[in-house]
Amino acid sequence: MELNLIQDKFKSLFGTEGTMYTSPGRINLIGEHTDYNGGFVLPGAIDKAMYCKIKPNDTDKVRAYALDLEESAEFGLYENDLPSKQWAKYIYGVCREMIKKGKNVPGFDCVFAGDVPLGAGMSSSAALESCFGFAINDTYDLGFDRFELALIGQATEHNYVGVMCGIMDQFASCFGKEGSLIRLDCRSLEYQYVPFNPEGYRLVLINSCVSHNLAEGAYNKRRKSCENVTAAIRKHHSEVELLRDANLDMLREVANEVSAEDYIRSEFVIEEIQRLLDACKALKKGDYEIVGKKMYETHIGLSQKYAVSCEELDFLNDIARECGVAGSRVMGGGFGGCTINLVKNELYDGFVKRAIESYEQKFKIKPKVYDVVIKNGARRL
């Protein structure tokens, strides 16, 4: 990211200098559709981020400029001041959530830009919220900790953007740590850092550049399947509040009480929670071949049991397997987006070349390739 472009634009717009902040996008190595079932996820902050330059302006208005879009917006910070531009709602929402918690947020000038690819499942929106959350908190010394900043970002999505997201994306953006993934318990929000130093391997995302418009209805349907099975199990085991509390034996007990579809969806989630825990153990031992094996198992489960993959993602996963890639799976909600691949250094060039050529030949679309490295979370530069 060309930070001097942000600095130059800020100087030309506002005639002064400001302070620069950044917050990263994220990947999730393993643990898909486990979050709303109270399970675990394993995200990490990456070397693609949002950046903002900010300075108080002694007014009650925010003057913001989105460098990538070459658009500006000016807005107040009262509840009826919601800006019309979508990107401005994120900045406004963060300010409003802080004000609702009893803090005074005066007006400021800002310019922002980023290199988190849009629509690739790396959470550019959470990076934007966390970047401004950290910047405003630091600029005005508001006293929020990183945990509160993650919750402010999530509340911004819920209340001002209209996306009922979980906490993983904002959490990873705020708590990211170089050389570590974050094992986050989605029920208690307890977390621990798990070492991620894949010497001899690289992480690469291959973006299928497709998005099948099944996602929202299909997502809600799968969530309902999990709730149905949890309710059936709870009749026999009162301690089971979420699917995370159940095991495969409990699931088998209710096989005749739930639909075949609900059963297979829930089987995937219970297995996926265990897979994540197994992957964490392997990471602590530095066994990346086991981690990769678990990634392939996740892909098969997402494709065959949870049914959220698609032809394009399955094709990319097959190419990875044929090229001897250690691990590969669809990353994110499914129906399009990226595969995440753990690739030995010596296989990297051949795999990427073949993935691009084969995919383009079959689907007449050129996939995008993103190398990612695990980095630190939100900070002042």
Side-chain angles (χ1 to χ4, degrees):
M1 184 72 216
E2 292 289 327
L3 298 186
N4 52 359
L5 294 177
I6 299 174
Q7 290 167 352
D8 294 347
K9 191 69 192 179
F10 192 91
K11 191 82 185 277
S12 74
L13 284 174
F14 306 117
T16 182
E17 292 293 338
T19 306
M20 187 83 79
Y21 296 88
T22 184
S23 196
R26 63 104 191 108
I27 52 98
N28 185 34
L29 190 73
I30 196 165
E32 222 61 81
H33 294 280
T34 50
D35 52 350
Y36 52 84
N37 288 298
F40 298 92
V41 288
L42 194 63
I46 55 171
D47 56 342
K48 289 157 183 53
M50 286 293 186
Y51 301 85
C52 75
K53 188 152 223 192
I54 180 170
K55 188 175 187 185
N57 62 18
D58 300 321
T59 75
D60 59 356
K61 296 267 197 300
V62 171
R63 296 186 296 182
Y65 187 81
L67 187 61
D68 297 329
L69 302 170
E70 298 182 349
E71 287 181 1
S72 59
E74 184 172 319
F75 48 88
L77 293 172
Y78 294 101
E79 192 58 32
N80 55 359
D81 288 333
L82 182 71
S84 57
K85 289 190 170 78
Q86 186 69 11
W87 59 263
K89 289 176 183 173
Y90 291 99
I91 305 170
Y92 169 82
V94 168
C95 295
R96 282 302 307 160
E97 289 299 330
M98 290 175 162
I99 291 165
K100 288 186 322 201
K101 290 180 183 293
K103 302 294 185 181
N104 178 35
V105 180
F108 55 87
D109 297 330
C110 60
V111 173
F112 75 94
D115 56 6
V116 186
L118 298 178
M122 289 182 243
S123 301
S124 54
S125 59
L128 182 61
E129 292 147 9
S130 302
C131 188
F132 273 95
F134 195 92
I136 296 161
N137 186 52
D138 189 65
T139 298
Y140 294 119
D141 198 18
L142 301 181
F144 292 114
D145 62 24
R146 287 177 187 269
F147 185 69
E148 290 168 308
L149 292 176
L151 291 172
I152 284 166
Q154 183 190 29
T156 297
E157 296 266 5
H158 291 187
N159 299 328
Y160 298 98
V161 185
V163 176
M164 299 309 289
C165 64
I167 191 68
M168 174 175 74
D169 299 350
Q170 292 82 2
F171 202 94
S173 197
C174 288
F175 281 88
K177 182 177 162 187
E178 190 168 350
S180 296
L181 301 176
I182 308 163
R183 194 190 89 173
L184 175 64
D185 183 327
C186 294
R187 176 166 59 192
S188 68
L189 299 184
E190 292 172 331
Y191 70 97
Q192 59 174 253
Y193 290 109
V194 177
F196 187 76
N197 298 299
E199 284 179 29
Y201 296 85
R202 288 163 73 170
L203 269 183
V204 59
L205 306 191
I206 310 256
N207 189 348
S208 67
C209 298
V210 298
S211 176
H212 296 285
N213 293 326
L214 298 164
E216 194 156 325
Y219 172 89
N220 292 338
K221 202 172 163 214
R222 279 152 186 76
R223 195 165 180 158
K224 189 80 183 80
S225 285
C226 296
E227 287 164 3
N228 292 344
V229 170
T230 304
I233 293 173
R234 193 181 301 122
K235 288 177 190 165
H236 305 269
H237 301 274
S238 59
E239 72 277 13
V240 173
E241 290 174 31
L242 293 158
L243 198 50
R244 175 256 180 90
D245 300 315
N247 58 41
L248 291 174
D249 288 338
M250 292 176 184
L251 178 63
R252 289 180 197 112
E253 276 178 38
V254 299
N256 297 326
E257 299 169 39
V258 299
S259 73
E261 184 175 273
D262 288 357
Y263 183 95
I264 197 103
R265 302 281 188 259
S266 300
E267 185 177 56
F268 165 77
V269 172
I270 293 169
E271 288 172 342
E272 179 72 351
I273 291 169
Q274 187 57 50
R275 256 193 298 274
L276 183 145
L277 297 174
D278 292 342
C280 288
K281 279 184 196 160
L283 284 169
K284 285 173 183 170
K285 291 179 188 164
D287 190 337
Y288 289 89
E289 291 300 308
I290 291 286
V291 173
K293 186 166 166 274
K294 296 294 164 193
M295 291 168 71
Y296 278 118
E297 287 172 13
T298 290
H299 185 87
I300 292 166
L302 286 167
S303 180
Q304 296 175 10
K305 293 185 177 181
Y306 223 65
V308 293
S309 188
C310 58
E311 186 188 359
E312 295 90 346
L313 292 168
D314 287 344
F315 181 82
L316 287 170
N317 186 259
D318 288 341
I319 294 285
R321 204 180 276 276
E322 288 164 19
C323 289
V325 167
S328 175
R329 70 175 192 86
V330 48
M331 187 181 81
F335 308 110
C338 292
T339 60
I340 179 168
N341 304 273
L342 182 64
V343 191
K344 275 194 168 157
N345 289 345
E346 60 268 25
L347 299 176
Y348 175 87
D349 291 340
F351 164 58
V352 168
K353 183 172 185 285
R354 184 160 166 216
I356 292 171
E357 289 173 358
S358 307
Y359 188 86
E360 193 171 11
Q361 189 179 357
K362 182 165 175 66
F363 297 106
K364 310 294 180 268
I365 311 166
K366 187 167 186 176
K368 291 180 178 161
V369 177
Y370 309 110
D371 289 295
V372 293
V373 178
I374 303 303
K375 291 288 186 183
N376 288 319
R379 59 200 184 276
R380 186 191 339 196
L381 291 174

